[in-house]
Short mmCIF file of all heavy atoms in Angstrom, two decimals:
data_model
loop_
_atom_site.label_atom_id
_atom_site.label_comp_id
_atom_site.label_asym_id
_atom_site.label_seq_id
_atom_site.Cartn_x
_atom_site.Cartn_y
_atom_site.Cartn_z
N MET K 2 -9.28 27.56 -8.03
CA MET K 2 -9.03 26.13 -8.04
C MET K 2 -9.98 25.54 -6.91
O MET K 2 -9.83 25.89 -5.64
CB MET K 2 -7.46 25.87 -7.63
CG MET K 2 -7.15 24.48 -7.56
SD MET K 2 -5.33 24.53 -7.47
CE MET K 2 -5.04 23.06 -6.70
N ALA K 3 -10.69 24.49 -7.16
CA ALA K 3 -11.54 23.82 -6.18
C ALA K 3 -10.76 22.78 -5.58
O ALA K 3 -9.98 22.04 -6.07
CB ALA K 3 -12.68 23.29 -6.97
N LEU K 4 -11.01 22.76 -4.23
CA LEU K 4 -10.30 21.53 -3.47
C LEU K 4 -11.53 20.56 -3.03
O LEU K 4 -12.57 20.91 -2.73
CB LEU K 4 -9.85 22.31 -2.10
CG LEU K 4 -9.22 21.31 -1.22
CD1 LEU K 4 -7.92 20.56 -1.81
CD2 LEU K 4 -8.82 21.81 0.03
N ARG K 5 -11.23 19.35 -3.36
CA ARG K 5 -12.01 18.18 -3.13
C ARG K 5 -11.49 17.38 -2.07
O ARG K 5 -10.24 17.08 -1.94
CB ARG K 5 -12.22 17.27 -4.30
CG ARG K 5 -13.22 17.90 -5.37
CD ARG K 5 -13.53 16.77 -6.36
NE ARG K 5 -14.55 17.26 -7.17
CZ ARG K 5 -14.91 16.67 -8.26
NH1 ARG K 5 -14.17 15.85 -8.83
NH2 ARG K 5 -15.73 17.33 -9.28
N THR K 6 -12.23 16.95 -1.22
CA THR K 6 -11.86 15.93 -0.11
C THR K 6 -12.61 14.56 -0.27
O THR K 6 -13.75 14.52 -0.66
CB THR K 6 -12.14 16.46 1.31
OG1 THR K 6 -13.53 16.73 1.42
CG2 THR K 6 -11.45 17.78 1.42
N TYR K 7 -11.92 13.47 0.03
CA TYR K 7 -12.42 12.24 -0.06
C TYR K 7 -12.36 11.53 1.30
O TYR K 7 -11.37 11.70 1.95
CB TYR K 7 -11.80 11.34 -1.12
CG TYR K 7 -12.00 11.87 -2.58
CD1 TYR K 7 -11.11 12.67 -3.16
CD2 TYR K 7 -13.10 11.56 -3.33
CE1 TYR K 7 -11.21 13.29 -4.41
CE2 TYR K 7 -13.25 12.13 -4.62
CZ TYR K 7 -12.38 12.89 -5.21
OH TYR K 7 -12.51 13.33 -6.30
N THR K 8 -13.37 10.78 1.65
CA THR K 8 -13.21 10.01 2.76
C THR K 8 -13.48 8.49 2.41
O THR K 8 -14.32 8.14 1.63
CB THR K 8 -14.37 10.38 3.78
OG1 THR K 8 -14.27 11.81 4.11
CG2 THR K 8 -14.30 9.65 5.12
N PHE K 9 -12.61 7.76 3.01
CA PHE K 9 -12.62 6.31 2.72
C PHE K 9 -12.78 5.53 3.97
O PHE K 9 -12.32 6.01 5.10
CB PHE K 9 -11.28 5.91 2.05
CG PHE K 9 -11.14 6.39 0.72
CD1 PHE K 9 -10.38 7.50 0.56
CD2 PHE K 9 -11.70 5.86 -0.36
CE1 PHE K 9 -10.32 8.17 -0.75
CE2 PHE K 9 -11.59 6.45 -1.71
CZ PHE K 9 -10.93 7.59 -1.82
N ARG K 10 -13.53 4.48 4.06
CA ARG K 10 -13.61 3.59 5.25
C ARG K 10 -13.02 2.27 4.99
O ARG K 10 -13.14 1.65 3.85
CB ARG K 10 -15.16 3.47 5.48
CG ARG K 10 -15.25 2.66 6.80
CD ARG K 10 -16.76 2.47 7.04
NE ARG K 10 -17.54 3.62 6.69
CZ ARG K 10 -18.86 3.70 6.83
NH1 ARG K 10 -19.65 2.85 7.19
NH2 ARG K 10 -19.54 4.92 6.52
N VAL K 11 -12.27 1.79 5.84
CA VAL K 11 -11.72 0.42 5.82
C VAL K 11 -12.60 -0.53 6.53
O VAL K 11 -12.91 -0.33 7.68
CB VAL K 11 -10.30 0.38 6.47
CG1 VAL K 11 -9.77 -1.06 6.40
CG2 VAL K 11 -9.37 1.29 5.59
N ARG K 12 -12.98 -1.59 5.74
CA ARG K 12 -13.83 -2.69 6.40
C ARG K 12 -13.16 -3.85 6.58
O ARG K 12 -12.55 -4.42 5.64
CB ARG K 12 -15.09 -2.78 5.59
CG ARG K 12 -16.01 -1.69 5.45
CD ARG K 12 -17.28 -2.05 4.76
NE ARG K 12 -17.99 -0.91 4.34
CZ ARG K 12 -18.95 -0.81 3.58
NH1 ARG K 12 -19.38 -1.94 2.94
NH2 ARG K 12 -19.51 0.26 3.21
N PHE K 13 -13.01 -4.48 7.74
CA PHE K 13 -12.29 -5.64 8.06
C PHE K 13 -13.24 -6.88 7.87
O PHE K 13 -14.42 -6.69 8.35
CB PHE K 13 -11.50 -5.65 9.26
CG PHE K 13 -10.53 -4.36 9.29
CD1 PHE K 13 -10.72 -3.37 10.11
CD2 PHE K 13 -9.31 -4.58 8.63
CE1 PHE K 13 -9.80 -2.36 10.11
CE2 PHE K 13 -8.47 -3.59 8.61
CZ PHE K 13 -8.52 -2.41 9.43
N ARG K 14 -12.82 -8.00 7.47
CA ARG K 14 -13.48 -9.16 7.56
C ARG K 14 -13.64 -9.66 9.08
O ARG K 14 -12.95 -9.23 9.92
CB ARG K 14 -13.02 -10.16 6.66
CG ARG K 14 -11.69 -10.78 7.13
CD ARG K 14 -11.04 -11.74 6.23
NE ARG K 14 -9.87 -12.41 6.80
CZ ARG K 14 -8.67 -11.85 6.81
NH1 ARG K 14 -8.48 -10.72 6.19
NH2 ARG K 14 -7.68 -12.43 7.21
N LYS K 15 -14.62 -10.45 9.27
CA LYS K 15 -14.79 -10.99 10.61
C LYS K 15 -13.50 -11.80 10.95
O LYS K 15 -13.04 -12.56 10.24
CB LYS K 15 -16.10 -11.92 10.77
CG LYS K 15 -17.34 -11.23 10.73
CD LYS K 15 -18.50 -11.96 10.99
CE LYS K 15 -19.80 -11.33 11.16
NZ LYS K 15 -20.82 -12.12 11.61
N GLY K 16 -13.19 -11.77 12.15
CA GLY K 16 -12.05 -12.43 12.63
C GLY K 16 -10.68 -11.61 12.51
O GLY K 16 -9.65 -12.22 12.92
N PHE K 17 -10.89 -10.58 11.71
CA PHE K 17 -9.50 -9.91 11.50
C PHE K 17 -9.01 -9.23 12.84
O PHE K 17 -9.77 -8.70 13.52
CB PHE K 17 -9.65 -8.86 10.38
CG PHE K 17 -8.49 -8.09 10.10
CD1 PHE K 17 -7.60 -8.46 9.20
CD2 PHE K 17 -8.23 -6.83 10.78
CE1 PHE K 17 -6.50 -7.76 8.94
CE2 PHE K 17 -7.03 -6.10 10.48
CZ PHE K 17 -6.16 -6.57 9.48
N LYS K 18 -7.68 -9.34 13.15
CA LYS K 18 -7.23 -8.75 14.23
C LYS K 18 -6.33 -7.47 13.97
O LYS K 18 -5.51 -7.50 13.11
CB LYS K 18 -6.29 -9.80 14.97
CG LYS K 18 -7.08 -10.96 15.49
CD LYS K 18 -6.16 -11.85 16.15
CE LYS K 18 -6.82 -13.19 16.77
NZ LYS K 18 -7.87 -13.77 15.87
N GLU K 19 -6.62 -6.45 14.63
CA GLU K 19 -6.00 -5.17 14.41
C GLU K 19 -4.44 -5.15 14.46
O GLU K 19 -3.75 -4.54 13.71
CB GLU K 19 -6.52 -4.04 15.24
CG GLU K 19 -7.91 -3.53 14.77
CD GLU K 19 -9.16 -4.38 15.21
OE1 GLU K 19 -8.83 -5.33 15.97
OE2 GLU K 19 -10.15 -4.24 14.69
N GLY K 20 -4.17 -6.23 15.36
CA GLY K 20 -2.55 -6.33 15.55
C GLY K 20 -1.91 -6.76 14.20
O GLY K 20 -0.68 -6.40 14.05
N MET K 21 -2.73 -7.49 13.36
CA MET K 21 -2.18 -7.80 12.00
C MET K 21 -1.72 -6.68 11.16
O MET K 21 -0.81 -6.65 10.48
CB MET K 21 -3.14 -8.78 11.35
CG MET K 21 -3.36 -10.07 11.96
SD MET K 21 -4.77 -10.91 11.17
CE MET K 21 -4.19 -11.28 9.63
N LEU K 22 -2.53 -5.55 11.30
CA LEU K 22 -2.29 -4.39 10.57
C LEU K 22 -1.02 -3.72 11.07
O LEU K 22 -0.13 -3.28 10.25
CB LEU K 22 -3.46 -3.47 10.69
CG LEU K 22 -3.64 -2.42 9.76
CD1 LEU K 22 -3.77 -2.84 8.28
CD2 LEU K 22 -4.92 -1.53 9.93
N ALA K 23 -0.83 -3.58 12.42
CA ALA K 23 0.51 -3.14 12.94
C ALA K 23 1.61 -3.89 12.61
O ALA K 23 2.68 -3.37 12.27
CB ALA K 23 0.37 -3.08 14.53
N GLY K 24 1.47 -5.21 12.54
CA GLY K 24 2.62 -6.07 12.07
C GLY K 24 3.01 -5.86 10.66
O GLY K 24 4.17 -5.78 10.37
N GLN K 25 1.98 -5.77 9.80
CA GLN K 25 2.24 -5.31 8.32
C GLN K 25 2.96 -3.99 8.23
O GLN K 25 3.90 -3.98 7.48
CB GLN K 25 1.07 -5.45 7.53
CG GLN K 25 1.34 -5.36 6.00
CD GLN K 25 2.10 -6.46 5.52
OE1 GLN K 25 1.89 -7.57 5.71
NE2 GLN K 25 3.14 -6.06 4.68
N ALA K 26 2.59 -3.10 8.94
CA ALA K 26 3.08 -1.78 8.84
C ALA K 26 4.60 -1.79 9.37
O ALA K 26 5.56 -1.16 8.77
CB ALA K 26 2.29 -0.69 9.82
N GLY K 27 4.88 -2.59 10.27
CA GLY K 27 6.30 -2.72 10.83
C GLY K 27 7.21 -3.40 9.70
O GLY K 27 8.24 -3.02 9.48
N LEU K 28 6.62 -4.48 8.97
CA LEU K 28 7.20 -5.05 7.93
C LEU K 28 7.62 -4.07 6.85
O LEU K 28 8.69 -4.10 6.10
CB LEU K 28 6.57 -6.24 7.50
CG LEU K 28 6.57 -7.42 8.43
CD1 LEU K 28 5.52 -8.51 7.87
CD2 LEU K 28 7.96 -8.05 8.69
N ASP K 29 6.48 -3.38 6.48
CA ASP K 29 6.75 -2.37 5.37
C ASP K 29 7.84 -1.32 5.76
O ASP K 29 8.65 -1.01 4.89
CB ASP K 29 5.43 -1.68 5.14
CG ASP K 29 4.25 -2.61 4.65
OD1 ASP K 29 4.68 -3.69 4.13
OD2 ASP K 29 3.11 -2.19 4.73
N ARG K 30 7.88 -0.88 7.00
CA ARG K 30 8.84 0.02 7.39
C ARG K 30 10.21 -0.54 7.23
O ARG K 30 11.20 0.13 7.04
CB ARG K 30 8.46 0.54 8.83
CG ARG K 30 9.28 1.58 9.23
CD ARG K 30 8.99 2.89 8.52
NE ARG K 30 9.85 4.02 8.87
CZ ARG K 30 9.98 5.23 8.39
NH1 ARG K 30 9.12 5.50 7.40
NH2 ARG K 30 10.69 6.17 8.73
N TYR K 31 10.34 -1.85 7.65
CA TYR K 31 11.73 -2.49 7.72
C TYR K 31 12.22 -2.49 6.23
O TYR K 31 13.33 -2.25 5.90
CB TYR K 31 11.57 -3.88 8.25
CG TYR K 31 12.89 -4.65 8.00
CD1 TYR K 31 13.86 -4.42 8.86
CD2 TYR K 31 12.87 -5.60 6.88
CE1 TYR K 31 14.94 -5.31 8.67
CE2 TYR K 31 14.13 -6.31 6.79
CZ TYR K 31 15.23 -6.10 7.57
OH TYR K 31 16.28 -6.80 7.33
N VAL K 32 11.36 -2.85 5.26
CA VAL K 32 11.71 -2.92 3.87
C VAL K 32 11.96 -1.63 3.41
O VAL K 32 13.11 -1.48 2.72
CB VAL K 32 10.56 -3.55 3.07
CG1 VAL K 32 10.82 -3.44 1.54
CG2 VAL K 32 10.32 -4.95 3.37
N TYR K 33 11.19 -0.52 3.62
CA TYR K 33 11.56 0.88 3.27
C TYR K 33 12.95 1.23 3.78
O TYR K 33 13.77 1.80 3.11
CB TYR K 33 10.55 1.84 3.80
CG TYR K 33 10.83 3.25 3.60
CD1 TYR K 33 10.60 3.94 2.39
CD2 TYR K 33 11.54 3.92 4.55
CE1 TYR K 33 10.98 5.23 2.19
CE2 TYR K 33 11.69 5.33 4.52
CZ TYR K 33 11.44 5.84 3.39
OH TYR K 33 11.88 7.21 3.10
N ASN K 34 13.26 1.01 5.18
CA ASN K 34 14.46 1.40 5.61
C ASN K 34 15.78 0.56 5.04
O ASN K 34 16.80 1.13 4.80
CB ASN K 34 14.50 1.13 7.11
CG ASN K 34 13.62 2.25 7.91
OD1 ASN K 34 13.53 3.21 7.27
ND2 ASN K 34 13.14 1.96 8.97
N LYS K 35 15.53 -0.62 4.69
CA LYS K 35 16.55 -1.49 4.05
C LYS K 35 16.86 -0.88 2.77
O LYS K 35 18.04 -0.73 2.36
CB LYS K 35 16.10 -2.95 3.89
CG LYS K 35 17.14 -3.84 3.67
CD LYS K 35 18.27 -3.85 4.65
CE LYS K 35 19.27 -4.86 4.45
NZ LYS K 35 20.43 -4.77 5.31
N LEU K 36 15.78 -0.52 1.85
CA LEU K 36 16.15 0.02 0.56
C LEU K 36 16.84 1.29 0.70
O LEU K 36 17.67 1.61 -0.02
CB LEU K 36 14.78 0.13 -0.22
CG LEU K 36 14.10 -1.09 -0.83
CD1 LEU K 36 12.84 -0.77 -1.37
CD2 LEU K 36 15.14 -1.52 -1.95
N LEU K 37 16.31 2.18 1.67
CA LEU K 37 16.98 3.51 1.76
C LEU K 37 18.49 3.35 2.12
O LEU K 37 19.25 4.12 1.58
CB LEU K 37 16.21 4.22 2.99
CG LEU K 37 16.79 5.63 3.12
CD1 LEU K 37 16.47 6.46 1.88
CD2 LEU K 37 15.91 6.17 4.39
N GLU K 38 18.75 2.34 2.99
CA GLU K 38 20.16 1.99 3.40
C GLU K 38 20.96 1.64 2.05
O GLU K 38 22.16 2.17 1.73
CB GLU K 38 20.17 0.94 4.38
CG GLU K 38 21.55 0.56 4.82
CD GLU K 38 21.46 -0.65 5.74
OE1 GLU K 38 20.46 -0.71 6.60
OE2 GLU K 38 22.47 -1.51 5.69
N ILE K 39 20.38 0.87 1.16
CA ILE K 39 21.07 0.43 0.07
C ILE K 39 21.23 1.58 -0.82
O ILE K 39 22.29 1.71 -1.54
CB ILE K 39 20.28 -0.75 -0.64
CG1 ILE K 39 20.26 -2.13 0.27
CG2 ILE K 39 20.68 -1.05 -1.97
CD1 ILE K 39 19.37 -3.12 -0.16
N PHE K 40 20.27 2.32 -1.05
CA PHE K 40 20.40 3.39 -2.03
C PHE K 40 21.37 4.50 -1.57
O PHE K 40 22.10 5.05 -2.39
CB PHE K 40 19.04 4.13 -2.16
CG PHE K 40 18.06 3.21 -3.07
CD1 PHE K 40 16.57 3.48 -2.79
CD2 PHE K 40 18.38 2.19 -3.80
CE1 PHE K 40 15.80 2.78 -3.50
CE2 PHE K 40 17.46 1.41 -4.43
CZ PHE K 40 16.15 1.69 -4.40
N LYS K 41 21.41 4.67 -0.31
CA LYS K 41 22.38 5.77 0.30
C LYS K 41 23.70 5.20 0.04
O LYS K 41 24.63 5.96 -0.28
CB LYS K 41 22.10 6.00 1.79
CG LYS K 41 20.99 6.86 2.05
CD LYS K 41 20.91 7.04 3.68
CE LYS K 41 19.83 8.10 3.90
NZ LYS K 41 19.74 8.26 5.32
N GLU K 42 23.96 3.97 0.35
CA GLU K 42 25.30 3.48 0.04
C GLU K 42 25.73 3.51 -1.42
O GLU K 42 26.92 3.83 -1.63
CB GLU K 42 25.46 1.85 0.54
CG GLU K 42 26.73 1.23 0.24
CD GLU K 42 27.97 1.87 1.02
OE1 GLU K 42 27.70 2.40 1.88
OE2 GLU K 42 28.94 1.66 0.44
N GLU K 43 24.93 3.12 -2.35
CA GLU K 43 25.00 3.17 -3.67
C GLU K 43 25.34 4.68 -4.24
O GLU K 43 26.27 4.91 -5.01
CB GLU K 43 23.91 2.75 -4.57
CG GLU K 43 24.21 2.63 -5.92
CD GLU K 43 23.00 1.98 -6.80
OE1 GLU K 43 22.33 1.22 -6.18
OE2 GLU K 43 22.84 2.41 -7.92
N TYR K 44 24.61 5.57 -3.68
CA TYR K 44 24.78 7.01 -3.93
C TYR K 44 26.14 7.32 -3.47
O TYR K 44 26.88 8.16 -4.14
CB TYR K 44 23.73 7.83 -3.35
CG TYR K 44 23.76 9.37 -3.71
CD1 TYR K 44 23.38 9.67 -5.05
CD2 TYR K 44 24.33 10.28 -2.93
CE1 TYR K 44 23.51 10.99 -5.47
CE2 TYR K 44 24.52 11.62 -3.31
CZ TYR K 44 24.08 11.98 -4.55
OH TYR K 44 24.09 13.22 -5.00
N ARG K 45 26.60 7.01 -2.28
CA ARG K 45 27.83 7.35 -1.70
C ARG K 45 28.99 6.82 -2.58
O ARG K 45 30.01 7.43 -2.82
CB ARG K 45 28.03 6.76 -0.32
CG ARG K 45 29.36 7.31 0.37
CD ARG K 45 29.55 6.65 1.70
NE ARG K 45 29.79 5.15 1.60
CZ ARG K 45 30.82 4.58 1.14
NH1 ARG K 45 31.90 5.36 0.81
NH2 ARG K 45 30.84 3.17 1.00
N ARG K 46 28.76 5.62 -3.11
CA ARG K 46 29.86 5.03 -3.96
C ARG K 46 29.84 5.51 -5.45
O ARG K 46 30.89 5.81 -5.88
CB ARG K 46 29.74 3.48 -4.11
CG ARG K 46 30.12 2.69 -2.78
CD ARG K 46 30.15 1.21 -2.92
NE ARG K 46 28.70 0.75 -3.17
CZ ARG K 46 28.14 0.30 -4.44
NH1 ARG K 46 29.06 0.24 -5.42
NH2 ARG K 46 26.96 -0.11 -4.47
N VAL K 47 28.75 5.62 -6.07
CA VAL K 47 28.67 5.92 -7.47
C VAL K 47 28.35 7.28 -7.80
O VAL K 47 28.71 7.88 -8.87
CB VAL K 47 27.65 4.91 -8.10
CG1 VAL K 47 27.52 5.24 -9.63
CG2 VAL K 47 27.92 3.55 -7.80
N GLY K 48 27.50 7.95 -7.04
CA GLY K 48 27.10 9.35 -7.24
C GLY K 48 25.64 9.43 -7.84
O GLY K 48 25.18 10.51 -8.01
N ARG K 49 25.01 8.25 -8.03
CA ARG K 49 23.69 8.20 -8.55
C ARG K 49 23.02 6.92 -8.18
O ARG K 49 23.69 5.98 -7.83
CB ARG K 49 23.60 8.56 -9.94
CG ARG K 49 24.26 7.42 -10.82
CD ARG K 49 24.19 7.87 -12.40
NE ARG K 49 24.88 6.81 -13.16
CZ ARG K 49 24.27 5.73 -13.66
NH1 ARG K 49 22.98 5.63 -13.51
NH2 ARG K 49 24.93 4.85 -14.41
N VAL K 50 21.67 6.87 -8.19
CA VAL K 50 21.01 5.66 -7.78
C VAL K 50 19.92 5.31 -8.82
O VAL K 50 19.18 6.20 -9.30
CB VAL K 50 20.30 5.86 -6.32
CG1 VAL K 50 19.44 4.68 -5.85
CG2 VAL K 50 21.30 6.30 -5.41
N ASN K 51 19.90 4.13 -9.11
CA ASN K 51 18.78 3.64 -10.05
C ASN K 51 17.65 3.09 -9.09
O ASN K 51 17.76 2.06 -8.40
CB ASN K 51 19.26 2.36 -10.74
CG ASN K 51 18.42 1.81 -11.68
OD1 ASN K 51 17.20 2.26 -11.74
ND2 ASN K 51 18.72 0.48 -12.30
N THR K 52 16.62 3.89 -8.98
CA THR K 52 15.37 3.42 -8.30
C THR K 52 14.15 3.01 -9.06
O THR K 52 12.95 3.26 -8.60
CB THR K 52 14.92 4.64 -7.33
OG1 THR K 52 14.75 5.81 -8.24
CG2 THR K 52 16.23 5.01 -6.42
N THR K 53 14.40 2.41 -10.22
CA THR K 53 13.29 2.10 -11.03
C THR K 53 12.57 0.82 -10.28
O THR K 53 13.06 0.05 -9.48
CB THR K 53 13.80 1.62 -12.50
OG1 THR K 53 14.77 0.47 -12.29
CG2 THR K 53 14.41 2.72 -13.20
N ARG K 54 11.18 0.70 -10.76
CA ARG K 54 10.50 -0.31 -10.13
C ARG K 54 11.08 -1.70 -10.48
O ARG K 54 11.07 -2.62 -9.50
CB ARG K 54 9.11 -0.21 -10.73
CG ARG K 54 8.19 -1.37 -10.25
CD ARG K 54 6.83 -1.28 -10.73
NE ARG K 54 6.06 -0.20 -9.93
CZ ARG K 54 4.96 0.29 -10.23
NH1 ARG K 54 4.32 0.01 -11.30
NH2 ARG K 54 4.39 1.11 -9.47
N GLY K 55 11.55 -2.00 -11.50
CA GLY K 55 12.13 -3.28 -11.87
C GLY K 55 13.36 -3.56 -10.84
O GLY K 55 13.51 -4.74 -10.49
N ARG K 56 14.20 -2.58 -10.66
CA ARG K 56 15.24 -2.96 -9.61
C ARG K 56 14.78 -3.05 -8.24
O ARG K 56 15.27 -3.95 -7.52
CB ARG K 56 16.09 -1.66 -9.64
CG ARG K 56 17.20 -1.78 -8.60
CD ARG K 56 18.59 -1.51 -8.96
NE ARG K 56 19.46 -1.67 -7.95
CZ ARG K 56 19.99 -0.65 -7.19
NH1 ARG K 56 19.58 0.46 -7.32
NH2 ARG K 56 20.95 -1.06 -6.19
N ILE K 57 13.83 -2.35 -7.81
CA ILE K 57 13.23 -2.43 -6.53
C ILE K 57 12.55 -3.91 -6.39
O ILE K 57 12.68 -4.43 -5.18
CB ILE K 57 12.44 -1.21 -6.06
CG1 ILE K 57 13.11 0.00 -6.08
CG2 ILE K 57 11.63 -1.61 -4.72
CD1 ILE K 57 12.29 1.28 -5.83
N ASN K 58 11.81 -4.27 -7.34
CA ASN K 58 11.12 -5.46 -7.10
C ASN K 58 12.02 -6.74 -7.33
O ASN K 58 11.58 -7.91 -7.08
CB ASN K 58 9.98 -5.56 -8.09
CG ASN K 58 8.88 -4.65 -7.76
OD1 ASN K 58 8.69 -4.28 -6.69
ND2 ASN K 58 8.10 -4.23 -8.76
N ALA K 59 13.33 -6.50 -7.78
CA ALA K 59 14.02 -7.75 -7.92
C ALA K 59 14.65 -8.41 -6.68
O ALA K 59 14.58 -7.92 -5.66
CB ALA K 59 15.29 -7.28 -8.73
#
């Protein structure tokens, strides 16, 4: 089995502030943790969790 590696470079537009990236990561983490909390509570109550894309995006 052959192993391939890929390297990607991120290019930012002029005027982009790296702090914006950290802020977005923080918001993403907040949403992830909130969904995890909701799913854990549902699993505790019902015994199963619906994690379909349609439900998450609602």
Side-chain angles (χ1 to χ4, degrees):
M2 178 169 155
L4 180 65
R5 282 191 172 160
T6 60
Y7 295 94
T8 303
F9 296 94
R10 184 181 320 175
V11 176
R12 295 185 196 168
F13 298 109
R14 67 184 186 277
K15 284 189 173 186
F17 181 85
K18 295 180 178 48
E19 285 79 13
M21 294 170 63
L22 199 58
Q25 183 62 48
L28 291 172
D29 293 343
R30 188 67 185 179
Y31 173 80
V32 170
Y33 171 82
N34 286 333
K35 192 66 176 170
L36 278 173
L37 187 61
E38 178 185 324
I39 291 168
F40 291 159
K41 281 182 176 181
E42 175 61 26
E43 183 177 332
Y44 184 78
R45 188 187 63 72
R46 283 188 296 109
V47 181
R49 63 186 180 90
V50 179
N51 176 11
T52 58
T53 60
R54 178 178 277 169
R56 167 131 187 265
I57 293 172
N58 289 338

